[in-house]
Amino acid sequence: MTDTRHEERYELRHHSRHEKADPATLWERGIYWGLVGLLFWAPLPFGGIRGWSVAVMVIWVAVLGALWAAGWLAGKCTVGSSFYRGRFALGVLALWALLITLQAMPLPAGLVNLLSPGAAAVHAEQGLYSHPDAGGVMRSVTLSIDAAATQRLQLLTLALTGYFALLLLVIKRTSRLRQFTLMLVTSGILYSAAALYLHFTGATYMLFHEEVMHEMAKGPFLNRNHFGTFIEICLACGVGLIVADFAPTQLTTRSQRVRWALGLLLSAKARMRLLLIVMVIALILTRSRMGNVAFFTALIAGGFVALLFLHAGWKSILVFLASMLILDAAIIGSWIGVDQVIKRVQQTALTDEAKQVGAMTDESVETRTNQALSALPSVRRFPLFGTGAGSFMAMYPQYKPVDYPFTLSHAHNDFIHFLVETGVLGAALLFTLMAHAYLAVLRTLRSSKHQVRRGLALGAFIGMLSAMIHATVEFAFQISAVALAFTALVAIAVLAQDRFREAPAALPSPTAPPTP
């Protein structure tokens, strides 16, 4: 532990001297705070589901990217080893963006018929073109069956990819990575506090021609489940920050345990712990069944991972995680009504019929699963490229159950949603990205000697697992604010790795003086 502390102090001193001597720091710092500002702004307009709010996000990232490019050309920005640490994940994200761009791009009808016969058939049915054998004229069409929707998703995907790239470029030190994680947690705390206030005051108002009622805690989101996923991500990062401050301690005697407990109560970890309770209360008051189940399940899984991979300090970490389960879920949860969440789970989880629970009509997990599964036959018709990002509403009427009266805009299962809209190629890219992120986390926990990096990696593991469990019955990843927060979480997981020895220290800009 002493060696680790020396490493941290040396790193801080080293980078402090570098910052004073390097005029590029101020430029990059401005871009960094622009990225942080987007984290705070993104959830405000209903979680970013309106077209204009997505446009603001796209422009925001584009401006920051242009500023970084200008700074690089002027010799004020450099490409550090952190970029090389995340280059594989960035490459996968870039391929994902390229796939969606290809879906939205007008292509010769013959090529579309070769790559996706299903899409060509849909366009033919819509009268966009007909085969020459039928006396028609071949026209350019898209791989997507809803080109306008795919173009909107294309812009958002490019913005998320650019956001990820900028994080790799400007977060070059552990101290800045920790600060960025703290900013993500702070956004969750602020929106949780706002959600609790609006919920307890019973706020009802009209905003952007939308009637908003806060009968459940949902903050700036229209859907409490999407707010729940956002809070799960922020909560997990808060857990990682607390774990990052744990020092390996021998707790073999009673006096050692008492001193450790008193030190914990008087430390900065205690303040963060209290703030995490605010987010836990908000999560419980969303009354989201899977949101609560997902987070506390991921928390338990995080304890097992700490037990398996952390050779020092794992006892303290397990005590802390157990306190969240016992104090937050059981004691505080019973005070604010966790029994209502349990009641919802019991009354709706196993039945295939909707039931009235309080003032809400709840669909069962089975019903939501069946709705999502009913869209899977479309994969046989659009296997490689899918129906096109954002085209679920255009596709679903052909595959929905006969007795289901509604048309869904999203599948209540993000995994099925992505498989349907982006096909096997898109699903393979997302699987590769998540597998790489999990492997990066496990590699950090197993081999890193830096306690802060290990703590942030554990928080990223819990957050990614919780969000993905929740995604089995929800479509929160289709909400731009949640997608942005999850992109930041994956960046934290990748950047928490120790430096690769083979990576160059920096890539100089074109105007930088040559190295002697």
Side-chain angles (χ1 to χ4, degrees):
M1 181 60 193
T2 303
D3 294 338
T4 303
R5 291 292 176 85
H6 283 318
E7 290 176 11
E8 294 178 7
R9 286 196 292 267
Y10 172 78
E11 183 182 33
L12 291 174
R13 290 196 301 268
H14 171 75
H15 285 292
S16 177
R17 291 194 300 268
H18 178 71
E19 287 176 3
K20 292 179 181 178
D22 185 7
T25 301
L26 183 60
W27 192 283
E28 289 186 343
R29 186 178 298 173
I31 296 172
Y32 164 76
W33 284 111
L35 297 172
V36 170
L38 185 56
L39 275 182
F40 283 86
W41 182 88
L44 279 177
F46 300 147
I49 63 174
R50 296 290 186 262
W52 62 266
S53 60
V54 174
V56 170
M57 181 184 297
V58 172
I59 295 172
W60 196 312
V61 175
V63 169
L64 292 178
L67 286 174
W68 188 91
W72 183 69
L73 291 173
K76 296 182 178 181
C77 296
T78 58
V79 181
S81 61
S82 58
F83 181 82
Y84 294 92
R85 214 174 308 157
R87 66 188 184 276
F88 181 83
L90 178 60
V92 175
L93 266 178
L95 289 175
W96 167 260
L98 180 62
L99 173 63
I100 296 180
T101 300
L102 184 63
Q103 288 180 332
M105 183 184 302
L107 300 172
L111 181 59
V112 172
N113 187 56
L114 177 65
L115 298 177
S116 180
V122 169
H123 292 311
E125 293 169 2
Q126 295 173 347
L128 296 182
Y129 82 94
S130 59
H131 291 286
D133 296 341
V137 179
M138 300 289 282
R139 298 175 56 185
S140 296
V141 291
T142 61
L143 291 169
S144 170
I145 64 173
D146 188 349
T150 304
Q151 289 168 359
R152 290 192 293 270
L153 264 295
Q154 174 195 7
L155 292 175
L156 177 60
T157 304
L158 290 173
L160 294 175
T161 305
Y163 189 85
F164 187 86
L166 288 171
L167 289 177
L168 299 183
L169 289 167
V170 301
I171 299 180
K172 300 178 180 179
R173 304 184 305 277
T174 304
S175 57
R176 179 161 287 180
L177 178 62
R178 181 175 183 169
Q179 183 187 59
F180 178 77
T181 307
L182 178 61
M183 292 299 101
L184 179 58
V185 175
T186 302
S187 69
I189 294 169
L190 292 177
Y191 287 122
S192 294
L196 294 179
Y197 173 79
L198 293 171
H199 169 61
F200 286 125
T201 58
T204 302
Y205 49 87
M206 293 291 296
L207 184 63
F208 300 118
H209 307 289
E210 187 83 36
E211 184 179 7
V212 183
M213 295 182 293
H214 291 270
E215 72 284 358
M216 302 293 173
K218 57 185 180 182
F221 292 75
L222 285 180
N223 188 308
R224 55 195 168 83
N225 292 291
H226 302 158
F227 177 63
T229 303
F230 178 77
I231 294 302
E232 292 164 40
I233 293 172
C234 297
L235 253 175
C237 289
V239 171
L241 286 174
I242 291 181
V243 173
D245 284 335
F246 276 136
T249 306
Q250 295 293 332
L251 302 177
T252 55
T253 66
R254 181 178 298 178
S255 60
Q256 288 176 339
R257 297 189 187 97
V258 171
R259 286 197 299 270
W260 177 82
L262 290 176
L264 179 63
L265 290 174
L266 298 175
S267 66
K269 293 190 290 291
R271 294 190 292 272
M272 176 59 71
R273 181 71 182 87
L274 292 174
L275 294 173
L276 292 191
I277 291 176
V278 174
M279 286 195 283
V280 170
I281 292 174
L283 178 61
I284 293 175
L285 287 178
T286 62
R287 308 296 187 218
S288 172
R289 294 162 293 180
M290 189 57 77
N292 285 273
V293 170
F295 177 73
F296 290 108
T297 300
L299 201 63
I300 294 172
F304 281 109
V305 168
L307 182 62
L308 290 173
F309 291 94
L310 297 182
H311 303 295
W314 61 269
K315 290 184 179 180
S316 301
I317 295 172
L318 289 183
V319 170
F320 163 61
L321 297 179
S323 75
M324 293 198 69
L325 291 172
I326 298 172
L327 177 63
D328 297 13
I331 300 177
I332 296 178
S334 63
W335 172 57
I336 62 175
V338 74
D339 57 307
Q340 296 183 36
V341 179
I342 297 173
K343 184 179 179 181
R344 292 190 66 215
V345 173
Q346 292 173 341
Q347 291 190 343
T348 63
L350 300 179
T351 178
D352 194 32
E353 298 178 357
K355 283 199 172 184
Q356 194 74 19
V357 180
M360 301 179 302
T361 300
D362 278 340
E363 290 181 331
S364 68
V365 173
E366 184 180 354
T367 299
R368 289 190 176 186
T369 302
N370 289 340
Q371 293 166 4
L373 291 176
S374 65
L376 278 180
S378 68
V379 179
R380 291 197 294 267
R381 191 181 183 190
F382 308 89
L384 289 179
F385 295 93
T387 61
S391 65
F392 191 89
M393 180 180 288
M395 173 278 304
Y396 188 67
Q398 303 176 40
Y399 298 94
K400 72 175 184 178
V402 178
D403 57 346
Y404 189 68
F406 307 108
T407 297
L408 300 180
S409 58
H410 303 88
H412 280 281
N413 183 310
D414 270 315
F415 302 103
I416 293 178
H417 190 107
F418 285 124
L419 177 61
V420 167
E421 290 192 347
T422 62
V424 175
L425 292 178
L429 288 173
L430 291 181
F431 175 82
T432 302
L433 176 64
M434 295 315 303
H436 173 73
Y438 279 115
L439 287 175
V441 164
L442 297 180
R443 188 185 302 117
T444 301
L445 292 174
R446 182 186 61 195
S447 59
S448 177
K449 296 181 180 180
H450 203 298
Q451 180 63 21
V452 173
R453 293 181 182 272
R454 288 198 299 265
L456 298 182
L458 182 62
F461 173 85
I462 295 172
M464 291 188 298
L465 181 60
S466 178
M468 293 180 72
I469 293 175
H470 200 173
T472 58
V473 294
E474 270 300 334
F475 54 94
F477 290 152
Q478 312 305 319
I479 308 304
S480 60
V482 177
L484 183 74
F486 192 79
T487 300
L489 187 65
V490 174
I492 292 170
V494 171
L495 288 169
Q497 300 176 94
D498 287 325
R499 288 185 178 85
F500 293 140
R501 293 180 180 179
E502 69 271 16
L507 180 66
S509 69
T511 58
T515 303

